[in-house]
Amino acid sequence: MTLSTLIIAFTIAAMVLTLVFSKWVKKPDSWLMSWLQNFCGVWFVFSGLVKAVDPMGTAFKMEQYFAAFQQTFEPTWAKFLAPLFPFVADYALSISIGMIILEIMLGIALIIGYAPKWTSRIFFALLIFFTILTGFTYLTGYVPSDKNFFDFSAWGDYEKNQMRVSDCGCFGDFLKLDPKISFFKDLFLLIPGLIFLIYAKSREVLWSSSIRNIIMIGSLIVTVLFSFYNTFMNEPIWDFRPFRNGAEIATTRKAELDAAQQLQIESVAIKNKSTNEVVSIPYATYMKEFKKYPKEEWGTTFNYGEPTVPKTKISDFQIMDLKGADVTLDLLNAKNYSLMINAYKVHGQDVSEQVSIVDSIFMDSISIVKKDTVRTRVFVRIDSLISTVDRFVPDAKEVAIFKDQLNPLVHELAKEGIPTIAVTGGLGVSQINDFSKSIGANYPILQADDILLKTIMRSNPGLILWQDGKIVKKWHYKHLPELADLKSMVK
């Protein structure tokens, strides 16, 4: 799926809606305006829906943007804005759901002609916001990684890997758009946005105001419930991520890594340090003539070809044990079934406790003579030291999920020979050990990048059934399978 394919689909859908409405609802005063409303409306409804199946994914993308903005403003005169972004990052999920609902509702409002003047204003304002967002992302490709965005004199040639955010998230995980394409896409949408703003009174309006109100209220209720279900109640209904059910992770990871190792240098971009002249030549030519371009005068950038197998997040799949050893292949090459508990973030706090530690033990004795009998009594004196020990105390609710829901399943499956591992991110070794004791785990708890774990699964924690390096099924902790059903699956 590409953006061009989507635009063609939106164009056709808008034509169909325009014809249907003209035949059974109302003949439009302006066919062009009617089609344009339907085109933009379908675009926004679709864009919102593919994000509504996974609002947490959009929230994670927003967190990346907030972090990039904080780093950008901190060293500038506008550094007073920097603390704002960590603050709003704490509410990224709420903002994500709000933006998704707004996007879908705007799309429906455009199609039915609801409140033309206000819809046009909000639509145009939202497009301006999106354009600034994608424009910033794209333009950071011209900014060296060690330079600030506002150091305009330090801007150089466009390098994709310099961008502070890899993609805009405009269509969630359904379609990853290069920020450059996203930026020009938003510039394109500003044209109908400006038309709606100028000719708001000429917008096509369908049905009566009462029917339009009913459509908007009904759509709002459905959208809110749909977004909340996919956020708090279950894994996304439609999973567009590479770690979906049935994904052959072991095979795909090997193919992607092999393709990355086989990449060939196709050309070399050579930049003169004095004149900023840039010369691009084939790699074979450069190898023959490299003496013409001494390092003191020329900087070189090697350009690689595209991999035969496109890279996904599966290439980054890596699990480490508590000693720092890579145990990824132990999981991916394991035969038959295994279970994995994904807990990308374990909430809790570090507390300091004072404990008594034995320092030394002294033994002494005395003899007592009584009626010609000598009795010896031994006295033991223990000296101790008071020491402060840090301990990680996990969130009680999360401990209860493990103890009451997950452990009964995986501990029983262990008796059937089905091994379990738990993987978490963001904790130190001592914290993981404390967490393991708190939940009473009889399985190892390993480490991985928290962003990777978020990509694999939105539920925190969640359960994954593996078979021969393939993801068989994923379960949200609120919808775990019955023990009997799980046993039947692994027979």
Side-chain angles (χ1 to χ4, degrees):
M1 179 66 70
T2 63
L3 181 60
S4 300
T5 307
L6 275 182
I7 291 176
I8 293 172
F10 296 156
T11 301
I12 296 173
M15 292 173 62
V16 171
L17 283 177
T18 302
L19 291 174
V20 168
F21 290 149
S22 67
K23 184 173 179 62
W24 283 288
V25 181
K26 173 191 173 184
K27 187 175 181 179
D29 297 325
S30 170
W31 287 89
L32 178 60
M33 180 64 79
S34 178
W35 175 83
L36 203 56
Q37 287 178 221
N38 290 327
F39 175 79
C40 293
V42 168
W43 187 310
F44 264 51
V45 169
F46 181 83
S47 174
L49 279 176
V50 295
K51 292 195 287 286
V53 300
D54 184 19
M56 290 186 72
T58 301
F60 296 149
K61 181 61 63 177
M62 286 183 171
E63 289 174 356
Q64 293 180 30
Y65 270 112
F66 294 147
F69 291 149
Q70 180 187 2
Q71 293 174 358
T72 299
F73 283 105
E74 273 180 343
T76 70
W77 62 270
K79 61 183 178 181
F80 62 91
L81 293 173
L84 173 66
F85 299 108
F87 172 78
V88 295
D90 292 336
Y91 301 93
L93 185 55
S94 299
I95 297 172
S96 167
I97 294 174
M99 289 293 293
I100 290 169
I101 293 172
L102 175 61
E103 195 170 356
I104 294 175
M105 297 306 297
L106 267 178
I108 295 172
L110 284 170
I111 293 173
I112 68 176
Y114 180 82
K117 188 175 293 185
W118 277 105
T119 300
S120 300
R121 291 172 179 173
I122 297 172
F123 180 70
F124 187 74
L126 193 60
L127 286 175
I128 292 291
F129 172 73
F130 285 159
T131 304
I132 293 173
L133 207 62
T134 56
F136 166 81
T137 309
Y138 161 55
L139 292 175
T140 54
Y142 291 95
V143 185
S145 301
D146 59 341
K147 300 296 181 180
N148 188 270
F149 181 83
F150 294 108
D151 293 336
F152 300 118
S153 60
W155 286 29
D157 298 324
Y158 177 80
E159 294 288 344
K160 186 176 180 179
N161 59 4
Q162 292 179 161
M163 288 188 294
R164 305 319 191 245
V165 181
S166 58
D167 68 271
C168 68
C170 301
F171 292 101
D173 287 301
F174 175 79
L175 177 64
K176 297 288 188 180
L177 292 181
D178 184 283
K180 180 178 181 180
I181 295 175
S182 295
F183 176 56
F184 287 106
K185 175 259 300 179
D186 290 331
L187 288 176
F188 165 74
L189 286 175
L190 280 174
I191 298 173
L194 193 60
I195 293 174
F196 295 151
L197 196 64
I198 297 173
Y199 301 101
K201 293 182 179 180
S202 301
R203 290 258 312 277
E204 294 296 330
V205 178
L206 303 179
W207 297 291
S208 65
S209 61
S210 299
I211 294 178
R212 291 195 300 274
N213 287 335
I214 292 173
I215 292 174
M216 291 298 291
I217 293 172
S219 300
L220 177 61
I221 293 172
V222 172
T223 302
V224 170
L225 292 176
F226 185 70
S227 299
F228 270 71
Y229 177 81
N230 290 305
T231 305
F232 303 108
M233 300 304 297
N234 209 343
E235 283 288 288
I237 292 178
W238 299 296
D239 194 348
F240 303 121
R241 292 161 291 167
F243 295 93
R244 63 182 65 88
N245 290 341
E248 299 277 359
I249 305 302
T251 304
T252 305
R253 181 177 183 270
K254 184 178 185 305
E256 290 183 10
L257 294 179
D258 288 346
Q261 290 178 349
Q262 294 168 5
L263 282 180
Q264 300 293 324
I265 301 175
E266 292 187 345
S267 63
V268 182
I270 313 169
K271 183 177 181 180
N272 188 288
K273 296 179 180 180
S274 300
T275 64
N276 289 328
E277 175 192 1
V278 178
V279 179
S280 181
I281 59 177
Y283 179 65
T285 303
Y286 172 78
M287 292 304 295
K288 295 177 181 178
E289 304 177 353
F290 70 91
K291 291 183 179 180
K292 296 181 181 179
Y293 308 99
K295 293 182 179 179
E296 295 77 15
E297 300 178 16
W298 299 83
T300 56
T301 301
F302 297 99
N303 299 317
Y304 292 83
E306 292 295 324
T308 54
V309 179
K311 180 184 177 182
T312 67
K313 197 68 177 176
I314 292 177
S315 293
D316 300 327
F317 185 76
Q318 185 179 43
I319 298 175
M320 314 291 287
D321 66 16
L322 300 190
K323 295 180 180 179
D326 189 338
V327 294
T328 310
L329 296 181
D330 293 343
L331 170 65
L332 297 182
N333 293 337
K335 299 300 179 184
N336 299 321
Y337 291 97
S338 62
L339 290 166
M340 172 177 155
I341 298 174
N342 186 335
Y344 57 78
K345 183 174 183 180
V346 176
H347 298 85
Q349 58 182 341
D350 291 305
V351 298
S352 297
E353 297 179 339
Q354 288 188 335
V355 296
S356 178
I357 302 175
V358 174
D359 178 45
S360 54
I361 300 175
F362 298 93
M363 299 183 66
D364 200 358
S365 64
I366 62 172
S367 298
I368 302 174
V369 179
K370 188 176 183 181
K371 293 183 179 181
D372 301 327
T373 302
V374 179
R375 294 181 181 179
T376 301
R377 292 183 180 179
V378 179
F379 295 89
V380 179
R381 180 166 61 87
I382 300 175
D383 287 352
S384 61
L385 296 175
I386 302 299
S387 178
T388 301
V389 177
D390 292 330
R391 187 167 65 90
F392 178 69
V393 180
D395 180 79
K397 291 182 179 179
E398 292 183 10
V399 171
I401 293 172
F402 275 86
K403 283 187 171 182
D404 301 337
Q405 297 175 240
L406 289 166
N407 286 357
L409 283 175
V410 301
H411 288 176
E412 282 297 318
L413 266 292
K415 299 176 183 177
E416 306 287 331
I418 308 300
T420 295
I421 61 169
V423 187
T424 186
L427 293 184
V429 174
S430 62
Q431 292 173 317
I432 291 177
N433 289 329
D434 289 338
F435 176 62
S436 180
K437 293 177 183 177
S438 298
I439 64 175
N442 67 356
Y443 43 81
I445 300 181
L446 308 176
Q447 304 175 90
D449 177 66
D450 63 328
I451 296 177
L452 169 71
L453 297 178
K454 290 175 182 177
T455 305
I456 295 173
M457 201 169 194
R458 302 308 192 202
S459 177
N460 183 49
L463 185 64
I464 306 173
L465 177 62
W466 291 78
Q467 183 187 26
D468 301 331
K470 177 180 77 173
I471 293 179
V472 178
K473 192 169 178 61
K474 299 185 289 187
W475 291 278
H476 193 284
Y477 74 87
K478 292 183 178 180
H479 295 274
L480 293 173
E482 295 293 332
L483 179 59
D485 295 335
L486 192 53
K487 283 185 176 181
S488 66
M489 292 182 67
V490 299
K491 284 184 177 179

